[in-house]
């Protein structure tokens, strides 16, 4: 496959660093976007052919920094691929979520990817292998107690991706939506990990998501990928028969409420 230049947000996170490793190993160049310069430098040094990869400091929590980030990327030459991977998740019942936590999740998980897609489309249009991958979640299709604002952000990202796929249908830019189920990273607090264990929810390793993203790079047609069984089945069932899924999830509610309280009590 042609060597691509990939702008990757959230590069130093669990899934981001696994993607960076996989892309570098496959011969692609990665522009590593993140907030921590030391972690970015350590990641770059650990990649195959470190000199081929670049670092850009980027905090996605404000629209203004995204505008200047796009301008900075434009000075770095071509970009073939944008991967919106940075994300935050704040577990808790909606009545326990502070205003700023809700706004922050929507900004980083939804508004920042929209602004980045818009800002980078002119650069992507110059590539014959242009591609956008938005990292969603199975919670972008299934509303789940304890994750209401996070679900809202990922439902929004899925809707944005679908609309963008249709808006760019007459252009050679593939727009993909990649939705993992729970993944073993520090995004999930100890309370979430314990809750998933008690409920029998599986957690994937980061390499599974990284392999799926690598595979999407060679897909010229826009597509949506859901990872993990039975989650990908429940995504479809929830779209067709939401009450069936709601009844099944109701049985989990006392457990979710207990862990949500425990999580917020521990972090307040
Ligand atoms: N882990 C899961 O169970 C799971 C399941 C489904 C989907 N996902 C999605 O997968 C993606 C990656 O998550 P992960 O599990 O790898 O989480 P992670 O290890 O916590 O990494 C998240 C990344 O996002 C970055 N980030 C957070 N806030 C930012 C901001 N304001 N500006 C710039 N970057 C910011 C973090 O940067 P810092 O290192 O600077 O904080 C970090 O690199 C997210 O979109 C997440 O929603 C995760």
């Amino acid at each position: 496959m042609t060597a691509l230049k990939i702008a990757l947000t959230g590069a130093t996170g669990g899934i981001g660093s696994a993607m960076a490793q996989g892309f570098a190993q496959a011969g692609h160049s990665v522009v590593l976007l993140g907030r921590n310069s030391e972690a970015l430098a350590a990641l770059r040094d650990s990649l195959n052919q470190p000199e081929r990869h670049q670092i850009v400091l980027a905090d996605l929590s404000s629209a203004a920094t995204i505008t200047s980030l796009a301008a900075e990327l434009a000075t770095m030459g071509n970009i073939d691929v944008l991967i919106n991977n940075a994300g935050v998740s704040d577990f808790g019942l909606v009545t326990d979520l502070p205003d700023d936590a809700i706004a922050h999740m929507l900004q980083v998980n939804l508004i920042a990817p929209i602004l980045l897609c818009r800002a980078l489309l002119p650069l992507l249009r110059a590539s014959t292998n242009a591609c956008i991958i938005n990292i969603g979640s199975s919670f972008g299709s299934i509303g789940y107690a304890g994750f209401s604002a996070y679900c809202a952000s990922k439902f929004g990202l899925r809707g944005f991706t679908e609309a963008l796929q249709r808006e760019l249908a007459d252009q050679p830019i593939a727009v993909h939506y990649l939705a993992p189920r729970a993944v073993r990273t520090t995004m999930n607090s100890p309370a979430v990990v314990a809750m998933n264990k008690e409920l029998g929810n599986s957690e994937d390793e980061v390499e599974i998501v990284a392999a799926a993203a690598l595979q999407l790079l060679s897909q010229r047609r826009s597509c949506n990928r859901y990872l993990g069984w039975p989650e990908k089945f429940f995504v479809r069932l929830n779209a067709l028969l939401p009450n069936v899924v709601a009844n099944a999830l109701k049985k989990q509610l006392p457990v979710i409420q207990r862990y949500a309280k425990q999580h917020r009590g521990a972090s307040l």
Side-chain angles (χ1 to χ4, degrees):
M1 184 185 184
T2 320
L4 302 170
K5 189 161 166 189
I6 302 169
L8 172 65
T9 71
T12 54
I15 293 171
S17 44
M19 283 197 273
Q21 294 290 350
F23 297 152
Q25 207 58 46
H28 302 302
S29 305
V30 191
V31 181
L32 306 162
L33 303 169
R35 293 182 295 180
N36 179 327
S37 52
E38 280 177 19
L40 286 165
L43 175 62
R44 181 177 60 186
D45 291 347
S46 74
L47 299 180
N48 186 35
Q49 298 185 283
E51 67 287 352
R52 299 188 58 201
H53 313 291
Q54 292 160 290
I55 286 174
V56 174
L57 274 175
D59 187 336
L60 302 176
S61 57
S62 94
T65 53
I66 294 169
T67 307
S68 55
L69 167 64
E72 188 176 351
L73 288 173
T75 65
M76 296 169 69
N78 67 304
I79 297 279
D80 301 296
V81 179
L82 165 64
I83 304 189
N84 282 305
N85 165 68
V88 284
S89 172
D90 202 343
F91 177 46
L93 305 177
V94 70
T95 42
D96 292 336
L97 287 180
D99 292 359
D100 57 352
I102 295 170
H104 187 62
M105 270 186 275
L106 292 171
Q107 167 61 34
V108 176
N109 298 356
L110 177 59
I111 296 173
I114 295 173
L115 295 181
L116 271 176
C117 286
R118 187 185 66 176
L120 293 192
L121 269 174
L123 265 182
L124 293 169
R125 282 202 177 96
S127 166
T128 49
N129 295 292
C131 164
I132 293 169
I133 303 178
N134 289 332
I135 303 297
S137 168
S138 46
F139 285 179
S141 300
I142 300 171
Y144 201 85
F147 292 91
S148 54
Y150 179 77
C151 286
S153 70
K154 294 293 185 179
F155 268 66
L157 184 64
R158 182 168 62 86
F160 169 71
T161 308
E162 184 177 279
L164 192 64
Q165 289 168 341
R166 293 170 183 178
E167 197 166 308
L168 300 180
D170 59 352
Q171 297 176 39
I173 302 178
V175 182
H176 305 306
Y177 178 75
L178 176 59
R181 61 176 174 184
V183 184
R184 198 159 296 128
T185 73
T186 53
M187 171 173 277
N188 296 318
S189 68
V192 172
V193 172
M195 179 184 78
N196 280 336
K197 200 169 173 196
E198 185 168 335
L199 294 173
N201 298 335
S202 303
E203 282 190 341
D204 282 329
E205 299 299 337
V206 289
E207 288 75 16
I208 288 181
V209 188
L214 184 61
Q215 206 263 330
L216 281 176
L217 294 181
S218 55
Q219 288 285 331
R220 294 311 310 148
R221 286 184 66 145
S222 297
C223 60
N224 304 322
R225 286 278 151 76
Y226 299 87
L227 303 181
W229 182 266
E231 286 79 359
K232 63 168 82 169
F233 166 73
F234 280 115
V235 163
R236 280 160 182 76
L237 186 64
N238 195 53
L240 291 171
L241 299 167
N243 286 341
V244 173
V245 177
N247 285 335
L249 292 181
K250 194 173 176 187
K251 298 188 186 86
Q252 298 187 348
L253 191 54
V255 176
I256 297 169
Q257 287 167 333
R258 172 161 47 85
Y259 280 106
K261 288 287 177 197
Q262 177 188 318
H263 170 81
R264 300 227 67 89
S267 64
L268 286 174

